[in-house]
Amino acid sequence: MSLLSLKYRGPVTDLPDDDRMTLFDRTPTNDDIVRDTVAAIIDLVKREGDDALRSLAREYDQVKLSAIEVPKALWQKALDGVDPVLVEAMRRAARNIETVHRTSPPVPTRVEPEPGIVIERRPHPLGRIGVYAPGGKASYPSSVLMGAIPARVAGVREVIVCSPPDKSGMPPTGILAACAIAGVDRVFAVGGAGAVAAMAFGTETIPRVDAIVGPGNTYVTEAKVQVSSTVVIDSPAGPSELLVLADDSADAAMVARELIAQAEHDEMACAVALVLGHEMGEKVVASLRVQAAATKRASIVKKALEGQGGVIVASSRDQMAAFATMYAPEHLLVVMENAEPIVAEVRGAGTVFVGGRTSVAFGDYMTGANHVLPTGGAARAYSGLSLDTFYRWTTVQTVNAAAAASLAESVGVFADAEGLDAHARAARALGGAR
């Protein structure tokens, strides 16, 4: 591999305006071809249902589907055929995901803002949710666990999974094994934007869902955005990303390993380190150049680091915290002495890892925290997948006679001011006024 050249280098204060713009504005934008292609697929699935899904499988997956739904017996067969060591790792991850997510159930509320006025908020699990599980180049059984298990904990009535078929006409073995472990209800050998459309609007075979979660390629992400007025989606996701904050107490080799681990996802992954001091920066760069060449996915890592990667130097902790807040990364790794003040200050991150032993890879698979997270700076407003994703809330209001009499004239005055005569009469009728 030729000498690694990072996209971003040098002091953070010396970054050119163009570089600052691309660093902080990472919102994924799809071109007209992607948007139009996805819109056409969604329209096709809405009109033709299962026939459209079969046609899309022939076109995009080069497979003739014998069946859209995958029988449960094949999930179990897949599970039985997976290396037992991997199965145990998956089961361990499943246990931890369930344990972590059970700690944050929604809490109903009841308040009396004035005597006789009672306002309640009651949570209700969604009826049916869909998990999208990528196949082919990027097959992630872990994402099945991360999407399906919290839904189960939340009390969702039915959990379905869509995953593209391989040449056998079935989703990847690891995906099916994860479905068996997660206890999903139904699995469909359907992928891409067509799968998203099928879950959003329903077909003869695939039932309509209330929410769609899980990662996917550009077309899947665009499809989720386009159906988001119909169903809940987790967040508009883009390429994976990591921001590392490190001072001279950090192990430069560890920082480099973490950057490389994120960069190996794909050529568009964003892996950036902001370090305190030039010496630490040089150590990280030197370690990156050695380690990147030795990885199995070296060409992908090189393209990602040269396209979106960087080692940038800060002059103070305050500067680091301000940068991290603006960057709003999917993953934030803080490897610094006295890290807690910075962790507390940076509010916009999908998930935060603290300390030199807290590898992002642990969170990707095994800690139980969810790895379905906002990217592209969306962490400023979006949260990672959690139980909250799988609930909707109902507000219940009760007003007794005394409170109605008290409210009537004030409401009438408000309604008069807004020109809503019927509102005013409805209120005043319960207050005895005419």
Side-chain angles (χ1 to χ4, degrees):
M1 185 171 76
S2 60
L3 185 63
L4 180 67
S5 177
L6 298 169
K7 168 73 173 176
Y8 307 106
R9 288 288 306 275
V12 66
T13 52
D14 292 349
L15 286 172
D17 289 343
D18 286 351
D19 283 355
R20 294 184 69 85
M21 184 177 296
T22 56
L23 269 169
F24 295 129
D25 185 10
R26 305 180 313 281
T27 305
T29 55
N30 290 328
D31 59 29
D32 290 342
I33 294 175
V34 172
R35 283 191 293 270
D36 292 347
T37 300
V38 168
I41 289 172
I42 292 172
D43 181 64
L44 181 68
V45 172
K46 288 172 70 174
R47 287 186 289 107
E48 299 185 11
D50 286 355
D51 286 344
L53 298 178
R54 294 186 184 95
S55 174
L56 291 167
R58 287 193 297 271
E59 180 178 356
Y60 290 100
D61 302 309
Q62 289 77 54
V63 63
K64 182 178 180 180
L65 290 179
S66 57
I68 290 174
E69 185 164 3
V70 182
K72 283 192 175 182
L74 294 183
W75 316 356
Q76 188 59 50
K77 182 179 179 181
L79 182 61
D80 293 341
V82 171
D83 183 339
V85 176
L86 174 57
V87 170
E88 179 48 39
M90 294 170 71
R91 292 193 186 282
R92 181 180 182 184
R95 290 192 297 270
N96 288 347
I97 293 166
E98 180 174 357
T99 298
V100 169
H101 287 77
R102 282 198 183 281
T103 63
S104 54
V107 179
T109 62
R110 184 182 188 279
V111 63
E112 195 169 354
E114 295 181 17
I117 304 172
V118 177
I119 308 298
E120 299 175 78
R121 293 191 76 235
R122 301 175 182 177
H124 303 287
L126 299 180
R128 180 187 295 119
I129 71 101
V131 178
Y132 186 83
K137 232 169 90 172
S139 176
Y140 300 129
S142 56
S143 290
V144 173
L145 305 180
M146 294 287 179
I149 292 172
R152 281 294 184 216
V153 171
V156 171
R157 173 173 50 82
E158 186 176 10
V159 178
I160 71 171
V161 172
C162 283
S163 186
D166 59 23
K167 298 304 179 185
S168 72
M170 292 290 114
T173 298
I175 296 293
L176 294 178
C179 289
I181 290 171
V184 307
D185 294 288
R186 301 175 73 182
V187 179
F188 303 95
V190 178
V196 174
M199 290 189 283
F201 300 104
T203 71
E204 299 92 325
T205 301
I206 299 178
R208 181 172 182 167
V209 303
D210 302 315
I212 300 173
V213 303
N217 65 17
T218 300
Y219 290 87
V220 169
T221 298
E222 176 64 25
K224 286 168 67 178
V225 170
Q226 290 192 23
V227 304
S228 61
S229 61
T230 301
V231 295
V232 173
I233 65 170
D234 38 17
S235 65
S240 298
E241 54 189 36
L242 168 66
L243 175 64
V244 182
L245 303 182
D247 61 14
D248 58 8
S249 71
D251 176 5
M254 181 266 186
V255 173
R257 281 196 305 271
E258 295 296 321
L259 294 172
I260 290 168
Q262 200 62 221
E264 76 171 346
H265 273 290
D266 64 65
E267 292 90 344
M268 296 305 295
C270 304
V272 176
L274 181 63
V275 302
L276 200 56
H278 289 278
E279 184 178 351
M280 185 62 184
E282 291 306 312
K283 289 180 181 178
V284 173
V285 171
S287 189
L288 270 177
R289 286 174 171 160
V290 172
Q291 294 190 52
T295 63
K296 289 184 178 180
R297 296 166 68 89
S299 63
I300 292 174
V301 169
K302 184 174 188 292
K303 288 178 182 177
L305 292 176
E306 292 187 343
Q308 299 80 229
V311 176
I312 309 168
V313 178
S315 59
S316 70
R317 292 169 63 94
D318 288 345
Q319 195 175 66
M320 298 174 86
F323 182 97
T325 298
M326 291 181 66
Y327 194 83
E330 177 189 20
H331 305 98
L332 175 65
L333 171 60
V334 184
V335 193
M336 303 175 66
E337 291 183 336
N338 191 25
E340 181 53 36
I342 283 187
V343 172
E345 186 173 344
V346 179
R347 302 295 178 87
T351 187
V352 182
F353 300 82
V354 184
R357 296 187 181 277
T358 314
S359 173
V360 176
F362 293 160
D364 282 345
Y365 293 104
M366 202 60 64
T367 64
N370 212 290
H371 79 198
V372 180
L373 302 163
T375 64
R380 298 183 189 97
Y382 284 86
S383 303
L385 192 68
S386 70
L387 288 196
D388 294 341
T389 309
F390 303 110
Y391 284 91
R392 61 165 304 280
W393 291 79
T394 300
T395 302
V396 179
Q397 307 182 47
T398 307
V399 179
N400 68 17
S406 171
L407 292 173
E409 186 55 30
S410 292
V411 172
V413 170
F414 238 131
D416 288 341
E418 296 186 352
L420 298 174
D421 175 66
H423 280 65
R425 284 187 285 110
R428 286 181 173 130
L430 293 173
R434 294 292 184 269

